Amino acid sequence: MRKAGWGLKTMSVAALAYLHLPILFVFLYAFTTEDASFTFPPPGYTTRWFAVAAANSDIRQALSLSLTVAAAATFIALILGTLAAGAVWRTRFFGRETLSLFIVLPIALPGIITGIALRSAISITGMSFSFWTLVIGHATFCVAVAYNNVIARMRRVSPNLIEASADLGATGWQTFRHVLLPQLGSAIVTGGMLAFALSFDEIIVTTFTAGNQQTLPIWIFSSLVRPRNRPVTNVVALLVVVITFIPIVLSQRFAAKAEQV
Amino acid sequence: MGTTQSSIGRRMATTLYRRPRLRLGLLLALPALWLVGVYGGSLASLLLNSFYAVDPFGGNVVRRLTLETWRRVFTDANLASATRTITMAASVTVASLGVGFPLAYYIARYTRGRIKTTLILATIVPLWSSYLVRVYSWKLLLAAEGVVAWFFDRLGMGALLDTALRLPVIGGPSLSTSSLGQFVVFTYIWLPYMILPIQAAVERVPRSMLEASADLGASPATTFRRVTWPLAIPGVAAGSIFTFSLTLGDYIIPTVIGDSSPFLGYAIYSQQGVAGDLPMAAALAFIPVVVMALYLTGARKLGAFEAL
């Protein structure tokens, strides 16, 4: 393997810095003593904003709503995504391509179109905007993630295994439980973690499917549009980064490990 | 009891095995109902809504089919914001290519094993995580008293920044309230979508082809121009689908950063929210869809779908 020239190396390092440095400044500003402007460098450092954020009941409620919505949406998306993957796997049927298209469409189209489409449907049916409309919106775009992970794994499961299990007298449930699930398990977990991360910090579909509920991203967005308690916003931003970062890194490790097997 | 249960289970397993249509139906029912029924239905209702209109006196949506809303779509203001949005989407796509290509090329060609995995992970993580916080981080960076201005001052280039901000159209009081700043943030946010498909495309260029090119006397620059770049084009086209279409529909970045000149996404958002004109928002939402459909047709010719 030849060595890369210094020009290429410099440009690569610059691109990586562009991708990763900005978020580090959010971390830095969570500790600043300055609460009215974004003065750099911060005049001093303090940890008091963490206590202020923890004591804020709006933030606590928004956090618990975001976690609940993400958990419920992930659960639904995993069921729908796994079922859809099971249907598409090794079967050809009328409308198969259409189904695959409709699975990826919610994340392929800009969020605003998915958001406003759901809003228009919900308003036509006369349903009121609630926790459940949020979950419907989030589950819709999370299905793609669950489906992609499960179908990619299914393509590598030998159909002989299923037939062998049936020949040995296993019921459908036993085959699913003891043959298929161990094979798909890590793909389902990976898909679930990605779906959770995707849902947790989603803002656009959330804005269109929420009533007056406030998720954490909606809280952050509203404090950006009408600037108020800036240092607390930084603390909440840091919290969102940490909560989404962990499942993403874990899921990538899982996926990398599954590749090696 | 146990035997009855297991024999029922076995009979079910046999039935399902013998009747693949039934098995398929059971697997398919829920996902098809949700995605084609609920989501597809929602998209259809969006189209339907665009053929309703708001009663000019009461401000309520009148559910009677009319072309009234579509007639009002093609105003100068809407066309101006569509032009602005498409120009931004095109600039962001070109900039992502310029910034992303070297890194994608470096990862594909000069790294392996653990380092390659780490660099790919470093590109994927920003793609999945904290979109809103990543936009927000630039509010800190681009503020007049913020990090970027401080660095320009330290490097003795404060005057350069001021000159750039005095430029018409792209300038503004500070980077945080200028189109220039907006452009930097858009590029930052969608950059990973450009890097990954290019990296995958360059990865697939067979080494033997590069060696053959060198053996036939081509300089590295010629090999790049005549071999690597043509083979990377499907990846570039695939990446550009994302950078282009995601910019078209975004309203968060223009709300947080920039001079608040209207963007398509923001127009859709405010028609729906502030103005309460859902039919208008629905009609406007079809502009990015149509532009994207045209773009996808072009990208398909370049082989973008094989590179995804």
Side-chain angles (χ1 to χ4, degrees):
Chain A
M1 196 182 288
R2 290 193 312 123
K3 281 261 174 277
W6 64 267
L8 182 63
K9 273 188 184 161
T10 315
M11 285 190 280
S12 305
V13 171
L16 280 170
Y18 185 34
L19 278 179
H20 290 281
L21 286 186
I23 210 106
L24 298 180
F25 284 98
V26 176
F27 292 12
L28 180 75
Y29 275 91
F31 297 95
T32 183
T33 47
E34 169 67 59
D35 65 353
S37 76
F38 297 125
T39 308
F40 186 83
Y45 297 94
T46 169
T47 52
R48 62 177 283 243
W49 307 116
F50 286 82
V52 176
N56 184 322
S57 66
D58 282 354
I59 296 176
R60 286 211 307 271
Q61 276 168 15
L63 173 65
S64 94
L65 179 63
S66 282
L67 290 172
T68 332
V69 169
T74 302
F75 180 73
I76 296 173
L78 282 178
I79 294 177
L80 294 177
T82 310
L83 285 174
V88 167
W89 181 50
R90 296 201 299 127
T91 326
R92 310 224 152 257
F93 54 88
F94 176 75
R96 186 175 184 262
E97 302 306 314
T98 315
L99 180 71
S100 328
L101 176 71
F102 272 98
I103 290 170
V104 295
L105 216 48
I107 51 168
L109 286 176
I112 193 161
I113 297 181
T114 298
I116 201 154
L118 288 168
R119 186 166 193 99
S120 113
I122 293 167
S123 72
I124 282 182
T125 58
M127 249 167 101
S128 61
F129 292 90
S130 66
F131 169 78
W132 290 107
T133 52
L134 271 176
V135 172
I136 290 173
H138 282 217
T140 303
F141 65 77
C142 285
V143 174
V145 183
Y147 168 84
N148 278 341
N149 276 280
V150 175
I151 192 84
R153 180 66 53 82
M154 275 181 169
R155 292 206 175 104
R156 304 205 317 231
V157 173
S158 162
N160 297 343
L161 283 177
I162 316 263
E163 278 160 17
S165 164
D167 287 348
L168 292 170
T171 62
W173 171 249
Q174 286 169 327
T175 304
F176 177 74
R177 172 71 191 78
H178 298 290
V179 180
L180 209 48
L181 204 56
Q183 300 268 338
L184 300 182
S186 71
I188 294 177
V189 173
T190 308
M193 287 193 286
L194 286 175
F196 187 90
L198 204 60
S199 161
F200 185 78
D201 65 14
E202 211 283 339
I203 170 85
I204 297 179
V205 175
T206 314
T207 307
F208 285 98
T209 49
N212 44 21
Q213 293 81 5
Q214 247 191 352
T215 64
L216 218 45
I218 292 187
W219 185 90
I220 297 180
F221 188 61
S222 70
S223 55
L224 289 187
V225 180
R226 286 179 299 278
R228 52 182 160 122
N229 38 23
R230 278 178 170 161
V232 181
T233 312
N234 293 329
V235 171
V236 176
L238 192 152
L239 182 72
V240 171
V241 172
V242 172
I243 293 182
T244 53
F245 183 76
I246 295 169
I248 292 164
V249 172
L250 280 179
S251 71
Q252 296 301 320
R253 296 225 142 176
F254 250 71
K257 209 172 273 174
E259 286 287 313
Q260 286 160 7
V261 175
Chain B
M1 194 65 194
T3 33
T4 339
Q5 259 178 9
S6 84
S7 77
I8 291 174
R10 188 146 311 144
R11 216 173 303 151
M12 270 171 59
T14 316
T15 316
L16 287 179
Y17 187 81
R18 285 203 187 130
R19 295 192 180 170
R21 290 282 130 191
L22 177 65
R23 188 181 56 197
L24 183 64
L26 287 177
L27 285 170
L28 216 49
L30 276 176
L33 190 70
W34 190 294
L35 289 157
V36 184
V38 175
Y39 184 65
S42 299
L43 289 174
S45 86
L46 188 63
L47 188 61
L48 178 66
N49 243 313
S50 75
F51 289 101
Y52 291 154
V54 164
D55 172 15
F57 304 106
N60 296 320
V61 177
V62 182
R63 294 197 180 152
R64 198 175 47 230
L65 295 181
T66 165
L67 284 173
E68 182 53 34
T69 302
W70 279 102
R71 240 193 307 275
R72 287 190 296 126
V73 164
F74 301 99
T75 59
D76 288 348
N78 284 340
L79 290 180
S81 67
T83 314
R84 185 177 297 111
T85 312
I86 293 169
T87 311
M88 179 61 88
S91 325
V92 167
T93 301
V94 173
S96 310
L97 176 61
V99 179
F101 197 94
L103 178 59
Y105 186 78
Y106 179 78
I107 297 177
R109 197 44 68 68
Y110 296 103
T111 62
R112 59 179 132 194
R114 189 174 283 269
I115 296 181
K116 191 188 283 276
T117 318
T118 311
L119 287 180
I120 292 177
L121 185 64
T123 317
I124 290 178
V125 168
L127 186 133
W128 284 105
S129 77
S130 330
Y131 158 80
L132 183 61
V133 176
R134 292 171 66 236
V135 174
Y136 169 59
S137 68
W138 285 91
K139 190 126 182 129
L140 309 173
L141 293 172
L142 297 181
E145 72 278 13
V147 181
V148 172
W150 183 84
F151 268 103
F152 268 92
D153 271 345
R154 276 299 147 104
L155 296 172
M157 299 198 297
L160 185 73
L161 182 61
D162 289 339
T163 315
L165 286 177
R166 270 199 298 274
L167 290 174
V169 185
I170 63 168
S174 74
L175 274 173
S176 174
T177 51
S178 68
S179 297
L180 186 63
Q182 209 170 46
F183 164 73
V184 170
V185 181
F186 267 121
T187 309
Y188 161 77
I189 292 287
W190 309 131
L191 184 59
Y193 288 93
M194 185 60 101
I195 296 175
L196 292 169
I198 296 179
Q199 180 259 330
V202 175
E203 203 86 55
R204 280 195 295 263
V205 177
R207 211 156 280 269
S208 57
M209 247 182 216
L210 304 174
E211 283 160 7
S213 170
D215 289 347
L216 292 170
S219 68
T222 312
T223 304
F224 180 82
R225 213 180 61 239
R226 307 277 298 266
V227 183
T228 313
W229 172 251
L231 289 169
I233 281 183
V236 173
S240 74
I241 293 175
F242 292 103
T243 55
F244 191 81
S245 86
L246 292 169
T247 309
L248 279 188
D250 192 276
Y251 71 90
I252 301 287
I253 296 171
T255 314
V256 177
I257 308 279
D259 56 4
S260 64
S261 49
F263 268 68
L264 264 185
Y266 187 76
I268 299 170
Y269 171 67
S270 60
Q271 282 297 341
Q272 182 279 131
V274 184
D277 191 344
L278 189 55
M280 189 48 144
L284 284 174
F286 279 93
I287 299 181
V289 173
V290 170
V291 174
M292 247 182 75
L294 293 176
Y295 195 87
L296 286 177
T297 321
R300 177 174 229 152
K301 291 215 176 86
L302 291 172
F305 292 112
E306 285 72 44
L308 279 176

